[in-house]
Amino acid sequence: MTHADWIFSNGPVHTMDPDHPRTDAVAVADGKILALGADAASWRGPATEFIDLAGKALLPGFQDAHVHPLAGGLQLLGCDLSGVHSLDEYRALIADYARANPSVEWVQGAGWYGDVFDGGFPRRALLDELVPDRPAFLISHDGHGAWVNSRALELAGITDTTPNPDGGIIARDGAARRDRHAH
């Protein structure tokens, strides 16, 4: 007989099953539910870990230790690059979005991947071509990088001599990069 890897007990277990929405115990082995309620105890073996919920609720779900649901949702309201994965597609989507939204003060959006660009970083010159008349700010697919045009850099006060932020970098154009590494 298979034994449970874990038995969770002594708290409300929400099953998400409309016919049996709640119980007080669950037995789990190899990532699968073996039994619910009073039947869970019969799956206990010598190596089963018993987890006392101490009255706390147990909910099923997929867990991610690092999410930004609000930011992710807001980014989809702008220029959404998440459905494509090529420089030509990025170029077309950004240009189309800028043309279709002439009254938007800042062209904003998200979803680009660094592997599409030579060296892993997008260049402001390309964004300057696509959005020459106002600032543009596009977040990477993982939310840890931003692609901006010259107007956005100017408004932020970022120049070739601006130091990198703690824990981050400002990817610079070739000449500035060579000068920075020469010191």
Side-chain angles (χ1 to χ4, degrees), residues 23-59:
T23 188
D24 62 356
V26 61
V28 178
D30 294 322
K32 293 184 173 57
I33 294 173
L34 300 174
L36 295 170
D39 293 338
S42 67
W43 292 91
R44 191 171 196 160
T48 301
E49 185 176 350
F50 180 81
I51 309 294
D52 184 353
L53 295 173
K56 295 186 173 117
L58 178 68
L59 299 164

PDB file of all heavy atoms in Angstrom, residues 23-59:
ATOM      1  N   THR A  23     -13.332  20.317   4.020  1.00  0.00           N
ATOM      2  CA  THR A  23     -13.105  19.178   4.898  1.00  0.00           C
ATOM      3  C   THR A  23     -12.101  19.612   5.954  1.00  0.00           C
ATOM      4  O   THR A  23     -11.753  20.796   6.031  1.00  0.00           O
ATOM      5  CB  THR A  23     -12.640  17.930   4.092  1.00  0.00           C
ATOM      6  OG1 THR A  23     -12.606  16.802   4.954  1.00  0.00           O
ATOM      7  CG2 THR A  23     -11.297  18.156   3.431  1.00  0.00           C
ATOM      8  N   ASP A  24     -11.599  18.667   6.728  1.00  0.00           N
ATOM      9  CA  ASP A  24     -10.666  19.046   7.801  1.00  0.00           C
ATOM     10  C   ASP A  24      -9.321  18.338   7.721  1.00  0.00           C
ATOM     11  O   ASP A  24      -8.473  18.500   8.592  1.00  0.00           O
ATOM     12  CB  ASP A  24     -11.298  18.810   9.175  1.00  0.00           C
ATOM     13  CG  ASP A  24     -11.639  17.342   9.403  1.00  0.00           C
ATOM     14  OD1 ASP A  24     -11.465  16.517   8.475  1.00  0.00           O
ATOM     15  OD2 ASP A  24     -12.101  17.021  10.505  1.00  0.00           O
ATOM     16  N   ALA A  25      -9.106  17.521   6.661  1.00  0.00           N
ATOM     17  CA  ALA A  25      -7.823  16.831   6.502  1.00  0.00           C
ATOM     18  C   ALA A  25      -7.638  16.415   5.054  1.00  0.00           C
ATOM     19  O   ALA A  25      -8.614  16.205   4.319  1.00  0.00           O
ATOM     20  CB  ALA A  25      -7.756  15.605   7.414  1.00  0.00           C
ATOM     21  N   VAL A  26      -6.381  16.276   4.657  1.00  0.00           N
ATOM     22  CA  VAL A  26      -6.062  15.790   3.313  1.00  0.00           C
ATOM     23  C   VAL A  26      -4.753  15.014   3.377  1.00  0.00           C
ATOM     24  O   VAL A  26      -3.812  15.409   4.061  1.00  0.00           O
ATOM     25  CB  VAL A  26      -5.984  16.956   2.288  1.00  0.00           C
ATOM     26  CG1 VAL A  26      -4.894  17.951   2.642  1.00  0.00           C
ATOM     27  CG2 VAL A  26      -5.785  16.444   0.876  1.00  0.00           C
ATOM     28  N   ALA A  27      -4.717  13.867   2.659  1.00  0.00           N
ATOM     29  CA  ALA A  27      -3.501  13.058   2.533  1.00  0.00           C
ATOM     30  C   ALA A  27      -2.972  13.233   1.117  1.00  0.00           C
ATOM     31  O   ALA A  27      -3.732  13.154   0.146  1.00  0.00           O
ATOM     32  CB  ALA A  27      -3.817  11.587   2.810  1.00  0.00           C
ATOM     33  N   VAL A  28      -1.638  13.444   0.994  1.00  0.00           N
ATOM     34  CA  VAL A  28      -1.018  13.728  -0.298  1.00  0.00           C
ATOM     35  C   VAL A  28       0.204  12.832  -0.487  1.00  0.00           C
ATOM     36  O   VAL A  28       1.010  12.661   0.431  1.00  0.00           O
ATOM     37  CB  VAL A  28      -0.579  15.215  -0.373  1.00  0.00           C
ATOM     38  CG1 VAL A  28       0.103  15.524  -1.688  1.00  0.00           C
ATOM     39  CG2 VAL A  28      -1.754  16.139  -0.145  1.00  0.00           C
ATOM     40  N   ALA A  29       0.361  12.269  -1.712  1.00  0.00           N
ATOM     41  CA  ALA A  29       1.559  11.506  -2.083  1.00  0.00           C
ATOM     42  C   ALA A  29       1.904  11.827  -3.531  1.00  0.00           C
ATOM     43  O   ALA A  29       1.018  11.893  -4.391  1.00  0.00           O
ATOM     44  CB  ALA A  29       1.339  10.006  -1.918  1.00  0.00           C
ATOM     45  N   ASP A  30       3.177  12.037  -3.797  1.00  0.00           N
ATOM     46  CA  ASP A  30       3.656  12.333  -5.148  1.00  0.00           C
ATOM     47  C   ASP A  30       2.878  13.473  -5.799  1.00  0.00           C
ATOM     48  O   ASP A  30       2.574  13.438  -6.987  1.00  0.00           O
ATOM     49  CB  ASP A  30       3.585  11.082  -6.035  1.00  0.00           C
ATOM     50  CG  ASP A  30       4.528   9.990  -5.574  1.00  0.00           C
ATOM     51  OD1 ASP A  30       5.648  10.331  -5.133  1.00  0.00           O
ATOM     52  OD2 ASP A  30       4.137   8.803  -5.635  1.00  0.00           O
ATOM     53  N   GLY A  31       2.516  14.483  -4.994  1.00  0.00           N
ATOM     54  CA  GLY A  31       1.829  15.655  -5.510  1.00  0.00           C
ATOM     55  C   GLY A  31       0.360  15.432  -5.830  1.00  0.00           C
ATOM     56  O   GLY A  31      -0.269  16.289  -6.430  1.00  0.00           O
ATOM     57  N   LYS A  32      -0.186  14.286  -5.453  1.00  0.00           N
ATOM     58  CA  LYS A  32      -1.587  13.986  -5.731  1.00  0.00           C
ATOM     59  C   LYS A  32      -2.346  13.749  -4.424  1.00  0.00           C
ATOM     60  O   LYS A  32      -1.819  13.171  -3.480  1.00  0.00           O
ATOM     61  CB  LYS A  32      -1.694  12.754  -6.614  1.00  0.00           C
ATOM     62  CG  LYS A  32      -1.136  12.984  -8.011  1.00  0.00           C
ATOM     63  CD  LYS A  32      -1.359  11.762  -8.875  1.00  0.00           C
ATOM     64  CE  LYS A  32      -0.991  11.970 -10.305  1.00  0.00           C
ATOM     65  NZ  LYS A  32       0.279  12.362 -10.637  1.00  0.00           N
ATOM     66  N   ILE A  33      -3.598  14.146  -4.416  1.00  0.00           N
ATOM     67  CA  ILE A  33      -4.448  13.944  -3.244  1.00  0.00           C
ATOM     68  C   ILE A  33      -4.891  12.484  -3.207  1.00  0.00           C
ATOM     69  O   ILE A  33      -5.425  11.948  -4.183  1.00  0.00           O
ATOM     70  CB  ILE A  33      -5.667  14.882  -3.283  1.00  0.00           C
ATOM     71  CG1 ILE A  33      -5.198  16.330  -3.149  1.00  0.00           C
ATOM     72  CG2 ILE A  33      -6.675  14.515  -2.196  1.00  0.00           C
ATOM     73  CD1 ILE A  33      -6.291  17.361  -3.335  1.00  0.00           C
ATOM     74  N   LEU A  34      -4.640  11.824  -2.075  1.00  0.00           N
ATOM     75  CA  LEU A  34      -5.046  10.432  -1.874  1.00  0.00           C
ATOM     76  C   LEU A  34      -6.404  10.324  -1.205  1.00  0.00           C
ATOM     77  O   LEU A  34      -7.196   9.437  -1.527  1.00  0.00           O
ATOM     78  CB  LEU A  34      -4.023   9.695  -1.003  1.00  0.00           C
ATOM     79  CG  LEU A  34      -2.596   9.607  -1.522  1.00  0.00           C
ATOM     80  CD1 LEU A  34      -1.685   8.985  -0.463  1.00  0.00           C
ATOM     81  CD2 LEU A  34      -2.563   8.780  -2.796  1.00  0.00           C
ATOM     82  N   ALA A  35      -6.649  11.175  -0.220  1.00  0.00           N
ATOM     83  CA  ALA A  35      -7.886  11.081   0.554  1.00  0.00           C
ATOM     84  C   ALA A  35      -8.176  12.401   1.234  1.00  0.00           C
ATOM     85  O   ALA A  35      -7.270  13.197   1.487  1.00  0.00           O
ATOM     86  CB  ALA A  35      -7.763   9.974   1.598  1.00  0.00           C
ATOM     87  N   LEU A  36      -9.468  12.584   1.540  1.00  0.00           N
ATOM     88  CA  LEU A  36      -9.923  13.775   2.247  1.00  0.00           C
ATOM     89  C   LEU A  36     -10.637  13.365   3.524  1.00  0.00           C
ATOM     90  O   LEU A  36     -11.167  12.262   3.628  1.00  0.00           O
ATOM     91  CB  LEU A  36     -10.890  14.573   1.369  1.00  0.00           C
ATOM     92  CG  LEU A  36     -10.326  15.173   0.091  1.00  0.00           C
ATOM     93  CD1 LEU A  36     -11.447  15.723  -0.777  1.00  0.00           C
ATOM     94  CD2 LEU A  36      -9.313  16.250   0.405  1.00  0.00           C
ATOM     95  N   GLY A  37     -10.669  14.275   4.480  1.00  0.00           N
ATOM     96  CA  GLY A  37     -11.415  14.070   5.713  1.00  0.00           C
ATOM     97  C   GLY A  37     -10.877  12.937   6.559  1.00  0.00           C
ATOM     98  O   GLY A  37      -9.659  12.705   6.629  1.00  0.00           O
ATOM     99  N   ALA A  38     -11.795  12.171   7.186  1.00  0.00           N
ATOM    100  CA  ALA A  38     -11.413  11.086   8.098  1.00  0.00           C
ATOM    101  C   ALA A  38     -10.590  10.012   7.398  1.00  0.00           C
ATOM    102  O   ALA A  38      -9.760   9.345   8.035  1.00  0.00           O
ATOM    103  CB  ALA A  38     -12.662  10.486   8.731  1.00  0.00           C
ATOM    104  N   ASP A  39     -10.768   9.831   6.081  1.00  0.00           N
ATOM    105  CA  ASP A  39     -10.012   8.813   5.343  1.00  0.00           C
ATOM    106  C   ASP A  39      -8.521   9.145   5.244  1.00  0.00           C
ATOM    107  O   ASP A  39      -7.706   8.255   4.988  1.00  0.00           O
ATOM    108  CB  ASP A  39     -10.571   8.650   3.928  1.00  0.00           C
ATOM    109  CG  ASP A  39     -11.973   8.063   3.907  1.00  0.00           C
ATOM    110  OD1 ASP A  39     -12.342   7.403   4.897  1.00  0.00           O
ATOM    111  OD2 ASP A  39     -12.685   8.280   2.909  1.00  0.00           O
ATOM    112  N   ALA A  40      -8.146  10.404   5.432  1.00  0.00           N
ATOM    113  CA  ALA A  40      -6.741  10.803   5.302  1.00  0.00           C
ATOM    114  C   ALA A  40      -5.847  10.069   6.292  1.00  0.00           C
ATOM    115  O   ALA A  40      -4.735   9.658   5.956  1.00  0.00           O
ATOM    116  CB  ALA A  40      -6.602  12.316   5.469  1.00  0.00           C
ATOM    117  N   ALA A  41      -6.311   9.860   7.510  1.00  0.00           N
ATOM    118  CA  ALA A  41      -5.493   9.222   8.547  1.00  0.00           C
ATOM    119  C   ALA A  41      -5.087   7.803   8.178  1.00  0.00           C
ATOM    120  O   ALA A  41      -4.009   7.331   8.564  1.00  0.00           O
ATOM    121  CB  ALA A  41      -6.245   9.224   9.874  1.00  0.00           C
ATOM    122  N   SER A  42      -5.904   7.090   7.399  1.00  0.00           N
ATOM    123  CA  SER A  42      -5.581   5.708   7.041  1.00  0.00           C
ATOM    124  C   SER A  42      -4.392   5.601   6.089  1.00  0.00           C
ATOM    125  O   SER A  42      -3.851   4.520   5.886  1.00  0.00           O
ATOM    126  CB  SER A  42      -6.814   5.024   6.438  1.00  0.00           C
ATOM    127  OG  SER A  42      -7.139   5.620   5.200  1.00  0.00           O
ATOM    128  N   TRP A  43      -3.943   6.709   5.524  1.00  0.00           N
ATOM    129  CA  TRP A  43      -2.810   6.729   4.602  1.00  0.00           C
ATOM    130  C   TRP A  43      -1.490   7.037   5.308  1.00  0.00           C
ATOM    131  O   TRP A  43      -0.443   7.114   4.674  1.00  0.00           O
ATOM    132  CB  TRP A  43      -3.058   7.744   3.486  1.00  0.00           C
ATOM    133  CG  TRP A  43      -4.175   7.305   2.586  1.00  0.00           C
ATOM    134  CD1 TRP A  43      -5.495   7.601   2.718  1.00  0.00           C
ATOM    135  CD2 TRP A  43      -4.064   6.478   1.443  1.00  0.00           C
ATOM    136  NE1 TRP A  43      -6.222   7.012   1.718  1.00  0.00           N
ATOM    137  CE2 TRP A  43      -5.353   6.310   0.908  1.00  0.00           C
ATOM    138  CE3 TRP A  43      -2.986   5.855   0.800  1.00  0.00           C
ATOM    139  CZ2 TRP A  43      -5.624   5.555  -0.214  1.00  0.00           C
ATOM    140  CZ3 TRP A  43      -3.257   5.099  -0.334  1.00  0.00           C
ATOM    141  CH2 TRP A  43      -4.548   4.953  -0.831  1.00  0.00           C
ATOM    142  N   ARG A  44      -1.527   7.172   6.615  1.00  0.00           N
ATOM    143  CA  ARG A  44      -0.314   7.491   7.375  1.00  0.00           C
ATOM    144  C   ARG A  44       0.628   6.287   7.400  1.00  0.00           C
ATOM    145  O   ARG A  44       0.226   5.164   7.655  1.00  0.00           O
ATOM    146  CB  ARG A  44      -0.676   7.912   8.791  1.00  0.00           C
ATOM    147  CG  ARG A  44       0.516   8.504   9.535  1.00  0.00           C
ATOM    148  CD  ARG A  44       0.070   9.115  10.848  1.00  0.00           C
ATOM    149  NE  ARG A  44       1.119   9.977  11.359  1.00  0.00           N
ATOM    150  CZ  ARG A  44       0.931  10.917  12.241  1.00  0.00           C
ATOM    151  NH1 ARG A  44      -0.273  11.134  12.724  1.00  0.00           N
ATOM    152  NH2 ARG A  44       1.921  11.653  12.656  1.00  0.00           N
ATOM    153  N   GLY A  45       1.904   6.550   7.104  1.00  0.00           N
ATOM    154  CA  GLY A  45       2.935   5.514   7.145  1.00  0.00           C
ATOM    155  C   GLY A  45       4.098   5.992   7.981  1.00  0.00           C
ATOM    156  O   GLY A  45       4.076   7.107   8.525  1.00  0.00           O
ATOM    157  N   PRO A  46       5.165   5.182   8.074  1.00  0.00           N
ATOM    158  CA  PRO A  46       6.293   5.548   8.935  1.00  0.00           C
ATOM    159  C   PRO A  46       7.030   6.819   8.495  1.00  0.00           C
ATOM    160  O   PRO A  46       7.620   7.512   9.322  1.00  0.00           O
ATOM    161  CB  PRO A  46       7.213   4.331   8.882  1.00  0.00           C
ATOM    162  CG  PRO A  46       6.734   3.484   7.758  1.00  0.00           C
ATOM    163  CD  PRO A  46       5.322   3.867   7.461  1.00  0.00           C
ATOM    164  N   ALA A  47       6.981   7.136   7.216  1.00  0.00           N
ATOM    165  CA  ALA A  47       7.702   8.326   6.726  1.00  0.00           C
ATOM    166  C   ALA A  47       6.766   9.497   6.455  1.00  0.00           C
ATOM    167  O   ALA A  47       7.206  10.544   5.981  1.00  0.00           O
ATOM    168  CB  ALA A  47       8.478   7.976   5.460  1.00  0.00           C
ATOM    169  N   THR A  48       5.492   9.342   6.731  1.00  0.00           N
ATOM    170  CA  THR A  48       4.520  10.414   6.479  1.00  0.00           C
ATOM    171  C   THR A  48       4.781  11.585   7.415  1.00  0.00           C
ATOM    172  O   THR A  48       4.939  11.412   8.619  1.00  0.00           O
ATOM    173  CB  THR A  48       3.079   9.905   6.688  1.00  0.00           C
ATOM    174  OG1 THR A  48       2.840   8.818   5.802  1.00  0.00           O
ATOM    175  CG2 THR A  48       2.079  11.014   6.426  1.00  0.00           C
ATOM    176  N   GLU A  49       4.829  12.766   6.838  1.00  0.00           N
ATOM    177  CA  GLU A  49       4.977  13.982   7.646  1.00  0.00           C
ATOM    178  C   GLU A  49       3.590  14.513   7.971  1.00  0.00           C
ATOM    179  O   GLU A  49       2.778  14.755   7.069  1.00  0.00           O
ATOM    180  CB  GLU A  49       5.787  15.040   6.883  1.00  0.00           C
ATOM    181  CG  GLU A  49       6.069  16.270   7.694  1.00  0.00           C
ATOM    182  CD  GLU A  49       6.962  17.280   6.969  1.00  0.00           C
ATOM    183  OE1 GLU A  49       7.521  16.954   5.904  1.00  0.00           O
ATOM    184  OE2 GLU A  49       7.076  18.403   7.485  1.00  0.00           O
ATOM    185  N   PHE A  50       3.299  14.681   9.234  1.00  0.00           N
ATOM    186  CA  PHE A  50       2.006  15.191   9.676  1.00  0.00           C
ATOM    187  C   PHE A  50       2.119  16.693   9.885  1.00  0.00           C
ATOM    188  O   PHE A  50       2.978  17.165  10.621  1.00  0.00           O
ATOM    189  CB  PHE A  50       1.569  14.514  10.985  1.00  0.00           C
ATOM    190  CG  PHE A  50       0.244  14.991  11.479  1.00  0.00           C
ATOM    191  CD1 PHE A  50      -0.930  14.491  10.945  1.00  0.00           C
ATOM    192  CD2 PHE A  50       0.169  15.963  12.469  1.00  0.00           C
ATOM    193  CE1 PHE A  50      -2.172  14.943  11.394  1.00  0.00           C
ATOM    194  CE2 PHE A  50      -1.060  16.422  12.919  1.00  0.00           C
ATOM    195  CZ  PHE A  50      -2.233  15.908  12.385  1.00  0.00           C
ATOM    196  N   ILE A  51       1.274  17.418   9.210  1.00  0.00           N
ATOM    197  CA  ILE A  51       1.266  18.882   9.319  1.00  0.00           C
ATOM    198  C   ILE A  51       0.006  19.288  10.076  1.00  0.00           C
ATOM    199  O   ILE A  51      -1.112  19.107   9.590  1.00  0.00           O
ATOM    200  CB  ILE A  51       1.271  19.570   7.929  1.00  0.00           C
ATOM    201  CG1 ILE A  51       2.364  19.029   7.030  1.00  0.00           C
ATOM    202  CG2 ILE A  51       1.324  21.091   8.090  1.00  0.00           C
ATOM    203  CD1 ILE A  51       3.768  19.314   7.482  1.00  0.00           C
ATOM    204  N   ASP A  52       0.188  19.842  11.266  1.00  0.00           N
ATOM    205  CA  ASP A  52      -0.928  20.324  12.072  1.00  0.00           C
ATOM    206  C   ASP A  52      -1.255  21.743  11.627  1.00  0.00           C
ATOM    207  O   ASP A  52      -0.453  22.665  11.815  1.00  0.00           O
ATOM    208  CB  ASP A  52      -0.548  20.293  13.555  1.00  0.00           C
ATOM    209  CG  ASP A  52      -1.691  20.692  14.465  1.00  0.00           C
ATOM    210  OD1 ASP A  52      -2.759  21.124  13.967  1.00  0.00           O
ATOM    211  OD2 ASP A  52      -1.518  20.572  15.694  1.00  0.00           O
ATOM    212  N   LEU A  53      -2.409  21.912  11.004  1.00  0.00           N
ATOM    213  CA  LEU A  53      -2.798  23.235  10.506  1.00  0.00           C
ATOM    214  C   LEU A  53      -3.166  24.194  11.632  1.00  0.00           C
ATOM    215  O   LEU A  53      -3.251  25.399  11.404  1.00  0.00           O
ATOM    216  CB  LEU A  53      -3.976  23.098   9.530  1.00  0.00           C
ATOM    217  CG  LEU A  53      -3.672  22.329   8.244  1.00  0.00           C
ATOM    218  CD1 LEU A  53      -4.956  22.106   7.446  1.00  0.00           C
ATOM    219  CD2 LEU A  53      -2.638  23.055   7.408  1.00  0.00           C
ATOM    220  N   ALA A  54      -3.365  23.681  12.831  1.00  0.00           N
ATOM    221  CA  ALA A  54      -3.661  24.507  14.013  1.00  0.00           C
ATOM    222  C   ALA A  54      -4.760  25.528  13.736  1.00  0.00           C
ATOM    223  O   ALA A  54      -4.659  26.696  14.107  1.00  0.00           O
ATOM    224  CB  ALA A  54      -2.389  25.189  14.503  1.00  0.00           C
ATOM    225  N   GLY A  55      -5.787  25.088  13.018  1.00  0.00           N
ATOM    226  CA  GLY A  55      -6.923  25.959  12.741  1.00  0.00           C
ATOM    227  C   GLY A  55      -6.772  26.851  11.524  1.00  0.00           C
ATOM    228  O   GLY A  55      -7.708  27.539  11.133  1.00  0.00           O
ATOM    229  N   LYS A  56      -5.578  26.859  10.924  1.00  0.00           N
ATOM    230  CA  LYS A  56      -5.360  27.696   9.731  1.00  0.00           C
ATOM    231  C   LYS A  56      -5.879  26.974   8.488  1.00  0.00           C
ATOM    232  O   LYS A  56      -5.854  25.759   8.402  1.00  0.00           O
ATOM    233  CB  LYS A  56      -3.883  28.021   9.583  1.00  0.00           C
ATOM    234  CG  LYS A  56      -3.387  28.875  10.731  1.00  0.00           C
ATOM    235  CD  LYS A  56      -1.967  29.304  10.514  1.00  0.00           C
ATOM    236  CE  LYS A  56      -1.599  30.280  11.611  1.00  0.00           C
ATOM    237  NZ  LYS A  56      -0.555  29.828  12.449  1.00  0.00           N
ATOM    238  N   ALA A  57      -6.317  27.732   7.494  1.00  0.00           N
ATOM    239  CA  ALA A  57      -6.912  27.174   6.286  1.00  0.00           C
ATOM    240  C   ALA A  57      -5.848  26.698   5.301  1.00  0.00           C
ATOM    241  O   ALA A  57      -4.754  27.267   5.207  1.00  0.00           O
ATOM    242  CB  ALA A  57      -7.800  28.210   5.612  1.00  0.00           C
ATOM    243  N   LEU A  58      -6.184  25.663   4.554  1.00  0.00           N
ATOM    244  CA  LEU A  58      -5.343  25.139   3.481  1.00  0.00           C
ATOM    245  C   LEU A  58      -6.104  25.306   2.175  1.00  0.00           C
ATOM    246  O   LEU A  58      -7.255  24.867   2.055  1.00  0.00           O
ATOM    247  CB  LEU A  58      -5.025  23.655   3.721  1.00  0.00           C
ATOM    248  CG  LEU A  58      -4.196  22.962   2.651  1.00  0.00           C
ATOM    249  CD1 LEU A  58      -2.777  23.520   2.629  1.00  0.00           C
ATOM    250  CD2 LEU A  58      -4.167  21.460   2.906  1.00  0.00           C
ATOM    251  N   LEU A  59      -5.471  25.980   1.225  1.00  0.00           N
ATOM    252  CA  LEU A  59      -6.079  26.239  -0.076  1.00  0.00           C
ATOM    253  C   LEU A  59      -5.229  25.615  -1.167  1.00  0.00           C
ATOM    254  O   LEU A  59      -4.005  25.737  -1.143  1.00  0.00           O
ATOM    255  CB  LEU A  59      -6.153  27.747  -0.346  1.00  0.00           C
ATOM    256  CG  LEU A  59      -6.969  28.565   0.627  1.00  0.00           C
ATOM    257  CD1 LEU A  59      -6.633  30.044   0.477  1.00  0.00           C
ATOM    258  CD2 LEU A  59      -8.444  28.337   0.365  1.00  0.00           C
TER     259      LEU A  59
END
